[in-house]
């Protein structure tokens, strides 16, 4: 587990309030519908186009590429999942990674809540996230403020 994982989880928990209420009401959401601002989507599209990336646009404002769809039941934002992942900046710098990490999706950044449910266990996806679906205007350790982030995620299992 990387040293940044705990910090990323904490920030994700702060940003992820769509499922878990302060009164600890059980999570019942099936999908997150947060949308990125059009300016961020346009900047992300420029990055995708410049890199000639074969990525699919999601109406919520991010892009993704599914390397393997996996099989079985896909997780929801309320699921607890185990993943292997690598997070990179657009310049290729790796800022975080982890293997066999388990967490509740509703505890993490919105882009993961929206993107991971696109694959089933055994699946692999690359998420291209605009700032508002990641860490936004706050600098985080090795992540500059307002960064587009790229995550390669293997969904090991839904716990």
């Amino acid at each position: 587990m990387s040293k940044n994982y705990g910090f990323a989880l904490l920030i994700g928990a702060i940003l992820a309030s769509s499922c878990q209420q302060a009164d600890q009401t059980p999570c019942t959401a099936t999908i997150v519908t947060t949308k990125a601002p059009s300016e961020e989507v346009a900047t992300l599209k420029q990055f995708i186009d410049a890199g000639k990336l074969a990525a699919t646009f999601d109406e919520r404002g991010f892009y993704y590429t599914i390397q393997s769809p996996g099989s079985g039941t896909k997780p929801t934002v309320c699921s607890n999942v185990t993943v292997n992942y690598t997070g990179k900046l657009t310049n290729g710098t790796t800022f975080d990674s982890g293997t066999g990490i388990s967490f509740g999706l509703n505890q993490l950044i919105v882009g993961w809540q929206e993107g991971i449910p696109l694959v089933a266990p055994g699946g692999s996806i690359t998420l291209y996230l605009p700032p508002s679906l990641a860490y936004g205007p706050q600098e985080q350790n090795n992540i500059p403020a307002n960064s587009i982030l790229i995550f390669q995620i293997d969904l090991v299992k839904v716990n």
Side-chain angles (χ1 to χ4, degrees), residues 40 43-48 50-51 53 87-95 127-131 142-151:
E40 287 184 8
T43 301
L44 179 56
K45 184 178 183 340
Q46 288 175 346
F47 171 77
I48 297 292
L53 301 171
K88 293 185 177 189
L89 302 173
T90 56
N91 66 7
T93 302
T94 298
F95 61 83
L127 299 176
Y128 302 91
L129 302 179
N142 299 326
I143 304 170
N146 295 310
S147 291
I148 292 171
L149 301 181
I150 304 161
F151 288 98

Side-chain angles (χ1 to χ4, degrees), residues 26-146:
C27 182
T28 58
T30 56
I31 189 167
V32 177
T33 57
T34 302
K35 292 187 178 186
S38 59
E39 304 80 36
E40 287 184 8
V41 174
T43 301
L44 179 56
K45 184 178 183 340
Q46 288 175 346
F47 171 77
I48 297 292
D49 291 347
K52 296 182 172 51
L53 301 171
T56 302
F57 177 70
D58 185 280
E59 291 294 324
R60 295 167 286 188
F62 65 95
Y63 284 80
Y64 65 93
T65 303
I66 296 175
Q67 288 80 32
S68 172
S71 61
T73 303
K74 293 178 180 178
T76 70
V77 70
C78 295
S79 297
N80 184 286
V81 297
T82 300
V83 300
N84 302 326
Y85 73 95
T86 301
K88 293 185 177 189
L89 302 173
T90 56
N91 66 7
T93 302
T94 298
F95 61 83
D96 197 8
S97 64
T99 302
I101 306 299
S102 296
F103 51 79
L105 278 179
N106 66 336
Q107 299 172 339
L108 298 178
I109 60 174
V110 174
W112 279 41
Q113 292 177 29
E114 294 176 329
I116 291 177
L118 296 173
V119 295
S124 181
I125 189 168
T126 302
L127 299 176
Y128 302 91
L129 302 179
S132 63
L133 301 182
Y135 296 105
Q138 296 178 335
E139 186 174 328
Q140 307 293 329
N141 290 341
N142 299 326
I143 304 170
N146 295 310

